[in-house]
Amino acid sequence: MKGVIVTCLAGLVKDNFGRKKWEDALENAGLDRHAIFSATNKVDDAIVMKVVSSVCKVLNITPLQAADAFGDYWVNVYAPRIYGAYLQEVTTSKELLLRMDKIHETVTSTIPNAAPPRFNYKWGDSRTLIMTYKSPRGLIDFLVGLIKGVGKYFNEDLRVRKLNSTDVEVVFL
Ligand code: HEM
């Protein structure tokens, strides 16, 4: 996976809990306390997952809480900073979510053998969107956290519900 996931997680932990906690999490994951990750390099998926579970342990939070915190930080703090171009000209949650499939394809197009998450869209009714998540990584809870983060970014009320391991229902209230 792109190193960007780990650099974002590092920002989240350092901003909210301090540098020491981040270093503890790295150490707990069997890595060097001062390991530096580059946003553009590829980081083994297994290492990313190890760091995520290590953060949960060090901060004493559940994987679901981590997924929500990550989604919020990614969409509201991190992406505007480094992926601002993708957020410009988009004015609603609906619009951004419908662009997600294309955005992930574009952003990872320079990485050889990249496997970005892909999304299919289906409308239940005029305000109910079902997003089907296709990724070998099984990070559906992160998807839910990210969609909640999108609602917050646009200051919109969304009802977000995981239906199963691939589908999330989003109701635009
Ligand atoms: C400007 C906004 C965004 C950009 C530029 C972006 C970019 C990326 C990048 C580069 C990755 C790593 C992919 C890889 O290395 O293969 C990633 C992962 C991911 N993104 Fe986004 N993302 C954005 C917003 C979102 C939003 C709003 C959602 C949910 C609706 C989302 C869902 C995910 C998920 C679930 C992953 C984890 C990887 C996986 O499950 O396979 N992203 N994103």
Side-chain angles (χ1 to χ4, degrees):
M1 194 143 45
K2 262 190 125 184
V4 76
I5 305 295
V6 185
T7 54
C8 174
L9 192 61
L12 161 65
V13 176
K14 287 187 213 161
D15 278 6
N16 295 296
F17 306 95
R19 174 175 294 275
K20 186 177 174 306
K21 287 283 183 204
W22 173 245
E23 293 176 354
D24 290 349
L26 288 177
E27 191 167 54
N28 191 274
L31 299 165
D32 189 302
R33 288 183 72 79
H34 304 291
I36 305 268
F37 294 89
S38 143
T40 44
N41 282 358
K42 211 168 171 175
V43 177
D44 202 61
D45 278 8
I47 293 185
V48 177
M49 297 322 295
K50 217 166 170 188
V51 175
V52 171
S53 65
S54 184
V55 164
C56 289
K57 209 166 181 183
V58 167
L59 299 181
N60 197 20
I61 57 173
T62 64
L64 268 184
Q65 287 171 318
D68 277 354
F70 183 89
D72 185 353
Y73 192 85
W74 175 273
V75 178
N76 291 289
V77 180
Y78 199 77
R81 216 185 271 158
I82 71 162
Y83 290 120
Y86 293 103
L87 297 167
Q88 272 162 19
E89 297 167 16
V90 184
T91 54
T92 63
S93 300
K94 197 184 291 178
E95 227 183 314
L96 186 63
L97 292 176
L98 291 174
R99 285 189 192 202
M100 273 304 125
D101 184 60
K102 187 82 202 135
I103 287 178
H104 285 89
E105 201 190 7
T106 308
V107 168
T108 54
S109 63
T110 52
I111 307 183
N113 309 317
R118 303 299 306 262
F119 304 101
N120 273 348
Y121 302 97
K122 208 174 70 197
W123 287 93
D125 60 40
S126 60
R127 52 184 200 126
T128 307
L129 177 67
I130 314 285
M131 276 179 82
T132 300
Y133 164 68
K134 290 187 291 179
S135 161
R137 304 189 180 104
L139 297 172
I140 189 90
D141 293 328
F142 278 77
L143 178 62
V144 170
L146 284 153
I147 298 173
K148 289 180 187 165
V150 170
K152 181 171 160 191
Y153 182 80
F154 291 105
N155 210 2
E156 288 174 20
D157 236 351
L158 303 183
R159 204 173 68 216
V160 188
R161 191 162 64 100
K162 173 166 89 172
L163 299 178
N164 51 50
S165 61
T166 56
D167 298 331
V168 176
E169 178 191 76
V170 187
V171 183
F172 302 92
L173 297 164

